[in-house]
Amino acid sequence: MEKIKVAILGPGNIGSDLMYKVFRSEHLEMGLMAGIAESEGIKRARSFGVPASVEGIDGVLELDDVDIVFDATNAFSHYTHAPLLESAGKIAIDLTPAAVGPYLVPCVNIGELSNAPNVNMVTCGGQATIPIVYAISRVAGAKYSEIVACISSLSAGPGTRANIDEFTQTTAKAIEIVGGADKGKAIIVLNPADPPITMSNTIYVQIKNRSAGIEAIAKSIDEMVADVQKYVPGYRLAVPPMLDGDKVTVCIQVEGAGDFLPAYSGNLDIINSAAIGAAEIIAKGLLAQRAK
Amino acid sequence: MGKKIHIVDTTLRDGSHAVAHSFTPGQVSAIASGLDSCGLEYIEFSHGDGIAGSTYNFGFSKYDEMDLLREAANAIKNAKLTVLLIPGIGTVEDLDLAKECGAKVVRVATHVTEADISMQHIKAAKDLGMIACGFLMMVHMAPVETIVEQAKLMESYGADYINIADSAGYMLPGDVKSAVDALVSNLTVPVGFHAHDNLSFAVANSLAAVESGATYIDATLRGLGAGAGNAQLEVIAGVLQREGYDTGLDFYPLMDLAEQVLEPIMVRPQIINTASLMLGYAGVYSSFLLHVYKAGEKFGLEPRDILVELGRRRMVGGQEDMIIDVAYKLSQDRGLA
């Protein structure tokens, strides 16, 4: 089957895990792993026969046959990369907090964004919880929604730690924009337990329409969980929805696929899997266009 | 004159847990002005889980937190108004707002192993010209070397003093002494201690901290606080005075304030009941207490069974949502749900 070539900017843990996921993809293949030094990640890519460059964004721009670029660097770098990628006609999937493009949670809004030149993957907590917020808001409305994401300390990188406000603020905003809540709030907790805990998330929604009924809410959530499981098999309902007055509470656990990163870091897996899931849909669109 | 010990009153912050975050403007004003006139140097006010903690997860505040903060600021003449900020819950934006409302000091609190998530907020506080305290919670869960290493991180971000918290009320005086001794000899900034009374050691542990060189002590009127409460302020005042320390506190007016102003607004006696004892015994975050009662009722479980399971899973502060998860699983296992 014909495949679309992708490049990954940033050969760290996230970039390496993305590469493993590209290997498994039916529609994507590695065109380039790009970094800025002869790092472990660059060597790892080469050892798999993947072309690698230490010229960063310049290495990517040289390749005309790369259509989709995952940016797993940092927000500051993405501000530079975004306009360059756009003028080179490459689609950017941004995993940094830069959010130059609109927020994308594939199972909610890929339909609207499959032609966007640049999309942002929100946060790991956002990818885990916003599908549920949306599943509730689409049947019962959402006046307010709050999520608590608990991740293992080992899976929180130095970037997240140095700017944890970015996580809470970005996630809260995306709960509103993508999840459909009038007001959003996000809380993140790091747990150092050993062996590491699996990512767990609690979603609270204050619904607008109590007459929607718990059955309709539960059905909407079940459908959404099945949709997310298409790209994150380890996504599961830990506590089914409970209705208490106008408050709905749901708990979700996310176990990673264990590609490059350990399975407990479901938080890293879900944002990568969502990015790959989005790239596959975009790739199918590109292939269909080219077949015409 | 004896050695100076700085007392941080946290009746209006940790005590907020004990009244399910229902303090009214009148209560805040009366307590803050009373404490101020008794010579308190620091008066902490915020939601029990820090600024912006008013949520489903931690319980909503009955009144707007920033309005109450202004109320406290207006009631205080000499004391420094202090807020708690837990990164992951509150943000620098919330801190800006708190400063506008009159906060002069912020205590940035993280789990004992996660100090690096406080860098952003400690630095922001210093840029705002505030006093910043690095506050390590649940210190019973980490060895002394880790506590020192994490405290040093906070010191390196610019923290003016480091406070350690026995958030589960698990420690005994010997544990406190080891931790404080190590901190005092490894840090250049002062060290403070925050106790919980779940095993009835809050005042004894506070005294052990002072004897080991801590110069900041947290306390609350009548011990009002999460779990079995904190070190009781009026007792601390009496004990430290008798031991020859200078706290600057007026002992008699403080006793009166506790009895006449605080006691009438307490919703339950601040005692060590079964669930509080289990917090201390199992090493669980004291603020989980009221949430565990609620979950116990909802799922038909004994609060202590939920607490033991939370301890076994090594849950940390902020994971109040996992109380539901644990209660749901326990009730499923027992065929209740």
Side-chain angles (χ1 to χ4, degrees), chain B residues 148-164:
Chain B
V148 170
E149 159 207 296
Q150 298 289 308
K152 284 178 91 86
L153 282 177
M154 287 174 156
E155 184 181 36
S156 76
Y157 307 145
D160 295 292
Y161 87 97
I162 302 295
N163 205 84
I164 58 168

Side-chain angles (χ1 to χ4, degrees), chain B residues 248-286:
Chain B
L249 296 175
D250 291 333
F251 184 37
Y252 273 62
L254 213 46
M255 287 192 282
D256 295 340
L257 181 66
E259 190 164 282
Q260 291 156 17
V261 178
L262 202 274
E263 204 170 291
I265 66 176
M266 289 173 75
V267 293
R268 61 192 182 101
Q270 192 72 70
I271 56 161
I272 306 170
N273 55 17
T274 303
S276 303
L277 170 58
M278 282 318 282
L279 290 169
Y281 179 80
V284 176
Y285 199 58
S286 297

